[in-house]
């Protein structure tokens, strides 16, 4: 079993961790934080400060 | 990389740029898309204030999440970066980033090109300084000192924001034109400087300044989709390193944008672009290419 686990690529493990964090982040309101910023014109981004 | 393969990459770059900017109406009305999909990040550097943008920019969102999160960690953005990085690494830079495509097209102009060397290798560390300084530290310092968490990279440097969002929105909105000031002039100057640099240097923004490329570079050796070298075929001739327009020391290292220019130069045919869910312990890790 452990031998088989050693053959799981680290990229796959990190991908799984990343997706899990996305889910946790959504429940914490992270999605709303990003949406709130992205759905309005960002004056800093366009150079108006 | 053969001409057909290169054309295929540019086609995918173009499709990715289009997919990230499907709100065509915004370019004529001078408005941005405000639907809930805007809370989802696209993999490449594509300003969320671009009139066409239908998703969020990972770097802008990371800064916004850092300053909005207060005492809690921005798990949503950390997870997003980890997922894109583990899946694609800097394949995003070479195949999916709209600002990378623009620089690739500029590089096509038949002008004398500055060769890479020790100078470009040193400058390539600049993107890590910008990642730490402007993306992570500066917004948090500004938040602590002024109470306003300015996204410093977007505000002071990002040329994608100026090109994709600033110029089209300002052109379409007379109200915004009246708000123009020194910051806008500075950002246009940065953009012009980078466009001029891109005429003579291959993808200068990606290689020297892009914090998103810096983030993805940490995943380049472990990404599921990447160029891999078959060590049994590799003859250590160094042709791939010499052919590469970026500052790689070996295929898929931190500087490799996974463009595949090295593939056709490899006489041993040791380099291939693969997506795999299996661990390959015998290949590429120690391949000196």
């Amino acid at each position: 079993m452990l031998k088989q686990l050693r053959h799981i690529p680290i990229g796959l493990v990190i991908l799984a961790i990343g997706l899990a964090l996305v889910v946790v982040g959504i429940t914490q309101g992270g999605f709303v934080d990003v949406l709130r910023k992205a759905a309005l014109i960002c004056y800093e981004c366009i150079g108006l400060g | 990389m053969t001409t057909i393969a290169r054309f295929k990459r540019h086609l995918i770059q173009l499709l990715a740029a289009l997919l990230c900017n499907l709100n065509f109406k915004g370019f004529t009305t001078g408005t941005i898309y405000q639907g809930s999909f805007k809370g989802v990040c696209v993999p490449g550097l594509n300003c969320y204030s671009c009139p066409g943008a239908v998703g969020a920019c990972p770097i802008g969102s990371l800064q916004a999440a850092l300053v909005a999160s207060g005492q809690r960690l921005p798990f949503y953005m950390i997870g997003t970066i980890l997922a894109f990085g583990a899946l694609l690494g800097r394949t995003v830079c070479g195949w999916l980033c709209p600002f990378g495509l623009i620089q690739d097209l500029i590089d096509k102009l038949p002008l004398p090109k500055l060769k890479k060397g020790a100078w470009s290798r040193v400058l390539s560390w600049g993107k890590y300084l910008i990642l730490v300084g402007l993306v992570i530290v500066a917004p948090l310092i500004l938040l602590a000192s002024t109470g306003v968490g300015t996204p410093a990279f977007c505000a002071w440097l990002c040329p994608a924001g100026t090109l994709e969002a600033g110029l089209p929105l300002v052109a379409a909105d007379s109200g915004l034109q009246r708000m123009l000031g020194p910051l806008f002039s500075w950002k246009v100057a940065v953009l012009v400087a980078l466009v001029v640099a891109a005429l003579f240097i291959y993808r200068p923004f990606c290689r020297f300044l892009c914090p998103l490329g810096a983030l993805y570079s940490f995943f380049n050796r472990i990404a599921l989709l990447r160029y891999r070298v078959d060590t049994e075929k590799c003859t250590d001739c160094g042709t791939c390193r010499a052919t590469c327009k970026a500052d790689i020391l070996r295929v898929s290292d931190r500087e490799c944008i996974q463009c595949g220019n090295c593939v056709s130069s490899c006489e041993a045919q040791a380099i291939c672009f693969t997506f795999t869910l299996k661990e390959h312990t015998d290949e590429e890790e120690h391949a000196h290419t």
Side-chain angles (χ1 to χ4, degrees):
Chain A
M1 177 70 177
L2 277 174
K3 211 172 181 180
Q4 280 177 329
L5 282 177
R6 279 215 312 253
H7 288 288
I8 296 174
I10 188 161
L12 193 60
V13 175
I14 292 176
L15 175 64
I17 293 170
L19 293 175
L21 288 179
V22 167
V23 174
V24 172
I26 290 171
T27 62
Q28 279 194 331
F31 177 84
V32 177
D33 286 343
V34 171
L35 180 61
R36 204 176 284 150
K37 179 71 182 171
L40 298 172
I41 290 178
C42 166
Y43 287 102
E44 294 98 340
C45 304
I46 64 174
L48 298 180
Chain B
M1 198 179 206
T2 62
T3 309
I4 293 173
R6 200 173 297 133
F7 176 73
K8 207 186 288 176
R9 182 170 74 87
H10 292 326
L11 195 64
I12 290 172
Q13 285 176 295
L14 190 62
L15 281 174
L18 280 173
L19 279 174
C20 293
N21 294 285
L22 283 173
N23 185 42
F24 303 129
K25 191 181 71 178
F27 288 103
T28 55
T29 58
T31 56
I32 65 168
Y33 168 73
Q34 296 183 306
S36 56
F37 197 74
K38 211 64 181 285
V40 178
C41 286
V42 296
L45 198 74
N46 192 74
C47 184
Y48 39 39
S49 288
C50 172
V54 292
C57 166
I59 284 294
S61 302
L62 180 61
Q63 291 169 99
L66 278 172
V67 297
S69 55
Q71 296 301 311
R72 60 187 160 84
L73 280 168
F75 287 120
Y76 178 66
M77 280 315 303
I78 293 173
T80 300
I81 300 279
L82 285 179
F84 280 141
L87 197 60
L88 301 164
R90 292 198 75 183
T91 299
V92 173
C93 308
W95 295 74
L96 302 175
C97 180
F99 201 68
L101 169 64
I102 292 165
Q103 290 171 92
D104 269 349
L105 295 178
I106 294 172
D107 186 63
K108 298 277 176 208
L109 295 171
L111 290 165
K113 307 294 177 189
L114 209 57
K115 283 186 180 166
K116 66 180 181 179
W119 66 274
S120 55
R121 190 79 192 162
V122 170
L123 285 183
S124 71
W125 290 100
K127 56 183 172 289
Y128 299 99
L129 288 177
I130 285 168
L131 171 64
V132 174
L134 291 185
V135 175
I136 298 170
V137 176
L140 292 174
I141 288 177
L142 287 167
L143 179 66
S145 59
T146 66
V148 181
T150 303
F153 171 74
C154 302
W156 302 332
L157 192 66
C158 183
T162 314
L163 180 68
E164 297 164 2
L167 294 178
L169 287 177
V170 166
D173 188 331
S174 57
L176 292 178
Q177 287 166 20
R178 284 193 290 276
M179 294 167 68
L180 296 184
L183 184 59
F184 187 77
S185 306
W186 161 254
K187 287 204 69 181
V188 171
V190 170
L191 173 64
V192 170
L194 278 165
V195 168
V196 172
L199 291 170
F200 307 102
I201 303 167
Y202 181 64
R203 292 179 75 146
F205 178 73
C206 310
R207 289 164 65 195
F208 309 142
L209 300 173
C210 181
L212 189 57
L215 273 174
Y216 289 147
S217 76
F218 297 124
F219 301 92
N220 232 13
R221 299 290 296 169
I222 53 130
L224 299 175
L225 178 69
R226 69 181 190 275
Y227 281 93
R228 291 172 164 85
V229 176
D230 185 336
T231 49
E232 289 189 4
K233 289 182 182 172
C234 178
T235 58
D236 282 356
C237 66
T239 308
C240 52
R241 187 172 53 213
T243 311
C244 180
K245 292 181 178 179
D247 297 280
I248 68 161
L249 294 179
R250 55 186 182 182
V251 171
S252 286
D253 70 4
R254 67 179 173 85
E255 290 305 314
C256 177
I257 60 164
Q258 308 285 333
C259 67
N261 282 342
C262 54
V263 174
S264 61
S265 70
C266 179
E267 288 183 10
Q269 298 186 322
I271 308 168
C272 62
F273 195 39
T274 52
F275 178 87
T276 183
L277 295 176
K278 290 177 186 170
E279 190 70 278
H280 289 263
T281 51
D282 292 332
E283 68 168 24
E284 108 272 345
E285 291 304 323
H286 302 293
H288 183 256
T289 55

